[in-house]
């Protein structure tokens, strides 16, 4: 029997889909890339922004005829919307066979088998202790890059964010288990791992009390791992020890994703982010001082309820001051269940104004980015080749600081995905770099 998994959202959802795929393959099901060719369809959903639920229902609508066409076809909803909306999905859409929340990825094969036997169920318990999973059966999306969960859930309850409701309380995995997974990956030829967590730097080993800094140092001793990345950090948990380890260990990715969300103290406090603009700037200065090759990146929310022109100007100046390597900026989207969604319409920023601010912010960042990329012209960077580039006969890959590099390989020395190539940068563009092998 064939199955297909559709994935929306962040790296964690991508990893969860890889886990589901591996577990189903281990039970003898066969993967297909075409949803309409499958017998079992899984929708792994994201709930962070925009009309996540309506997107789910419109996708389900797209598959309703497929489902009716043949008896025995199974459709299941997984991920954050499943966790949040739960049994409502089963009530509203009679042809959905099961919902599996984010804490029950391991139970997907059982859910599928129960559905094939004719039952309709939900699997929604959350918040088990230190998460354990069968890492050897994960169907990795690459032969050389892998995601590794180190901490699940989030205890922060930022007033805009749905994650604490969809992913539950914070649970760190045991360091010994993470190390075993990374050793296993390195032995199988993976050279880059990305440690994942919503607040990855809140990591605390439940057995040894090890912090993210300690864990990274330990993983740096694994032979074969050339790049160890980590996503996503929260400014409140950045310690001096962490910045020191970053400075000392070149194998730790030179890319520090540290979402600020806003450059205005008033907005940060309404978001319940627990740091100030000044505290963030101090971290940025400390990173620049001790680890000058590390590139900072950030997320911003524009049009958060109550954001004034002055607040937005603070954000704009903040972006110009920090000079991020890249930013992800989003229009605020009210999420059911969160504190900000209950504040009423008075504080709402009109959509048109919020969109205008978003365009201004992205424009400012484009200028910063183009300057930063031009400054790299002439430099030689280490590129992990990921595949063919969209632009003609060139390859593309990433630097340790996560910049995209396109280059034309030397004809008698082709490079394959997974190889590291030293590339001299000829041109710094807005969103990428172009060069040739050094
Ligand atoms: N844990 C990370 C942190 O603390 O920054 C972020 C997790 S969230 C999945 C990824 C990004 O989505 C956030 O950094 C934020 O910018 C954005 N986001 C979250 N909730 C949002 C909302 N309600 N509206 C718009 N953007 C949102
Ligand atoms: Fe959401 Fe805030 Fe937790 Fe990040 S830290 S996942 S933004 S609640």
């Amino acid at each position: 029997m064939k199955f297909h998994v559709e994935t929306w959202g962040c790296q964690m959802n991508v990893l969860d889909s890889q886990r589901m795929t591996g577990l189903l393959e281990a039970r003898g099901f066969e993967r297909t890339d075409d949803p309409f060719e499958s017998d079992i369809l899984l929708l792994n959903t994201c709930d962070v922004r925009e009309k996540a639920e309506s997107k789910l229902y419109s996708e389900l609508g797209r598959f309703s005829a497929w489902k009716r066409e043949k008896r025995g076809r199974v459709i299941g909803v997984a991920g954050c919307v499943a966790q949040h909306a739960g049994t409502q999905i089963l009530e509203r859409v009679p042809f959905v066979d099961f919902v599996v929340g984010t804490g029950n990825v391991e139970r997907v094969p059982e859910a599928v088998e129960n559905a094939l036997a004719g039952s309709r169920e939900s699997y929604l318990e959350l918040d088990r202790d230190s998460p354990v999973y069968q890492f050897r059966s994960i169907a990795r999306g690459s032969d050389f890059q892998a995601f590794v969960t180190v901490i699940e859930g989030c205890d922060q309850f930022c007033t805009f964010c749905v994650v604490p409701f969809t992913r539950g309380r914070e649970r760190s995995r045991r360091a010994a288990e993470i190390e075993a997974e990374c050793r296993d990956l390195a032995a199988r030829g993976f050279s880059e791992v990305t440690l994942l967590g919503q607040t990855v730097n809140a990591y605390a080993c439940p057995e040894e009390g090890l912090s993210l800094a300690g864990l990274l140092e330990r993983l740096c001793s694994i032979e074969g791992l050339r790049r160890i990345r980590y996503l996503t950090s929260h400014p409140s948990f950045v310690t001096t020890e962490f910045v020191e380890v970053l400075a000392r260990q070149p194998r730790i990715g030179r890319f520090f994703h540290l979402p600020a969300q806003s450059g205005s103290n008033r907005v940060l406090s309404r978001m319940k982010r627990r740091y100030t603009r000044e505290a963030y700037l101090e971290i940025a200065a400390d990173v620049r001082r001790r680890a000058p090759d590390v590139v900072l990146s950030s997320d911003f929310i524009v049009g958060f309820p109550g954001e004034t022109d002055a607040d937005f100007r603070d954000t704009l100046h903040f972006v110009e001051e920090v000079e991020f390597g890249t930013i992800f900026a989003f229009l605020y989207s009210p999420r059911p269940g969160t504190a900000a969604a209950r504040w009423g319409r008075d504080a709402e920023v009109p959509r048109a104004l919020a969109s205008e601010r978003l365009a201004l912010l992205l424009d400012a960042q484009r200028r910063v980015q183009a300057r930063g990329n031009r400054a790299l012209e002439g430099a030689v960077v280490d590129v992990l080749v990921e595949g063919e580039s969209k632009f003609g006969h060139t390859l593309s890959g990433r630097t340790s600081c996560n910049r995209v590099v396109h280059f034309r390989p030397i004809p008698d020395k082709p490079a394959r995905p997974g190889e590291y190539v030293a590339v001299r940068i000829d041109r710094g563009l807005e969103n990428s770099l172009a060069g040739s092998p050094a």
Side-chain angles (χ1 to χ4, degrees):
M1 273 191 140
K2 291 187 179 168
F3 71 94
H4 175 83
V5 186
E6 289 227 329
T7 312
W8 308 323
C10 67
Q11 289 89 347
M12 280 187 195
N13 264 16
V14 172
L15 177 57
D16 284 346
S17 288
Q18 294 175 355
R19 290 173 61 197
M20 293 173 201
T21 300
L23 290 164
L24 287 171
E25 283 179 337
R27 298 277 185 115
F29 295 101
E30 191 189 331
R31 186 186 341 179
T32 168
D33 289 336
D34 179 358
F36 292 101
E37 209 199 61
S38 67
D39 309 291
I40 300 149
L41 179 63
L42 280 165
L43 303 179
N44 190 10
T45 57
C46 168
D47 205 13
V48 170
R49 274 176 302 276
E50 297 297 331
K51 309 164 179 77
E53 271 185 64
S54 44
K55 180 174 175 190
L56 168 66
Y57 292 118
S58 82
E59 273 298 280
L60 285 171
R62 200 160 76 87
F63 291 111
S64 67
W66 164 86
K67 174 79 194 229
R68 275 196 312 268
E69 244 167 43
K70 196 170 149 195
R71 268 176 72 87
R73 279 185 173 158
V74 165
I75 187 158
V77 179
C80 291
V81 180
Q83 189 66 54
H84 209 182
T87 48
Q88 282 169 28
I89 301 172
L90 291 181
E91 282 157 23
R92 192 166 152 183
V93 189
F95 64 80
V96 169
D97 296 292
F98 63 86
V99 287
V100 182
T102 54
N104 284 285
V105 171
E106 299 281 324
R107 295 185 70 189
V108 162
E110 175 192 337
V112 166
E113 277 155 11
N114 288 342
L116 286 169
S119 74
R120 261 186 115 218
E121 281 175 55
S122 56
Y123 306 79
L124 298 168
E125 324 79 86
L126 203 54
D127 294 341
R128 296 214 189 85
D129 290 344
S130 174
V132 175
Y133 62 76
Q134 302 166 42
F135 60 78
R136 284 198 181 81
S137 67
I138 299 173
R140 307 281 181 188
S142 149
D143 298 333
F144 51 92
Q145 294 172 310
F147 292 130
V148 175
T149 298
V150 301
I151 176 170
E152 291 196 314
C154 180
D155 286 350
Q156 293 302 302
F157 291 92
C158 300
T159 54
F160 53 82
C161 185
V162 81
V163 169
F165 306 99
T166 61
R167 295 238 163 219
R169 309 309 303 264
E170 232 170 63
R171 288 102 63 208
S172 290
R173 269 176 93 196
R174 284 186 289 278
E177 201 196 325
I178 297 166
E179 188 183 344
E181 179 170 355
C182 290
R183 284 194 185 281
D184 181 70
L185 286 165
R188 287 160 48 207
F190 287 82
S191 69
E192 182 183 283
V193 295
T194 302
L195 308 185
L196 294 184
Q198 290 296 346
T199 48
V200 71
N201 57 340
Y203 176 77
C205 171
E207 236 167 41
E208 306 170 54
L210 203 70
S211 65
L212 180 70
L215 177 68
L216 282 167
E217 279 231 285
R218 192 178 284 184
L219 300 181
C220 281
S221 67
I222 299 177
E223 211 177 309
L225 288 189
R226 268 177 81 152
R227 284 184 186 170
I228 305 167
R229 301 184 178 283
Y230 55 98
L231 280 174
T232 295
S233 300
H234 189 292
S236 297
F237 301 113
V238 179
T239 59
T240 310
E241 182 204 10
F242 175 78
V243 182
E244 279 168 5
V245 170
L246 199 57
R248 199 164 53 230
Q249 294 284 3
R251 287 214 229 162
I252 301 176
R254 309 328 269 166
F255 177 73
F256 189 5
H257 186 55
L258 190 65
Q261 313 296 358
S262 170
S264 149
N265 280 337
R266 219 178 58 86
V267 175
L268 287 174
S269 147
R270 284 166 67 82
M271 287 177 163
K272 216 164 126 231
R273 286 292 287 181
R274 304 168 209 270
Y275 53 85
T276 58
R277 169 195 179 94
E278 293 73 28
Y280 191 105
L281 290 173
E282 241 170 72
I283 297 170
D286 196 32
V287 171
R288 292 264 140 82
R289 207 167 35 240
R290 292 178 209 241
D293 59 338
V294 167
V295 169
L296 280 167
S297 94
S298 191
D299 291 350
F300 289 92
I301 294 177
V302 177
F304 185 70
E307 183 191 66
T308 61
D309 281 339
D311 291 323
F312 175 66
R313 273 197 304 277
D314 281 350
T315 300
L316 211 52
H317 295 150
F318 181 79
V319 162
E320 282 158 353
E321 184 171 348
V322 180
E323 298 194 330
F324 293 102
T326 167
I327 66 165
F328 302 90
F330 309 103
L331 283 182
Y332 169 69
S333 142
R335 307 308 301 127
T338 60
R342 291 192 292 273
W343 290 347
R345 305 202 62 145
D346 288 355
E348 248 174 46
V349 175
R351 191 85 178 165
L353 179 59
S355 302
E356 225 173 87
R357 289 179 184 166
L358 181 66
L360 286 171
L361 183 63
L362 292 173
D363 244 19
Q365 174 61 16
R366 260 194 287 275
R367 286 192 294 275
V368 169
Q369 229 163 280
R371 244 192 343 262
N373 285 352
R374 270 198 307 273
L376 281 169
E377 289 176 1
V380 174
V381 295
D382 194 32
V383 176
L384 170 56
V385 179
E386 290 180 343
E388 288 199 355
S389 119
K390 314 184 269 225
F391 315 109
H393 307 286
T394 52
L395 293 174
S396 75
R398 279 171 200 272
T399 62
S400 175
C401 60
N402 216 29
R403 285 192 167 97
V404 174
V405 179
H406 305 287
F407 69 98
R408 208 175 278 274
I410 301 170
D412 57 355
K413 252 181 93 187
R416 275 186 301 275
E419 287 180 20
Y420 289 79
V421 178
V423 175
R424 186 178 305 283
I425 302 306
D426 306 323
R427 274 198 319 145
L429 309 164
E430 236 171 49
N431 290 313
S432 62
L433 303 166
S436 31

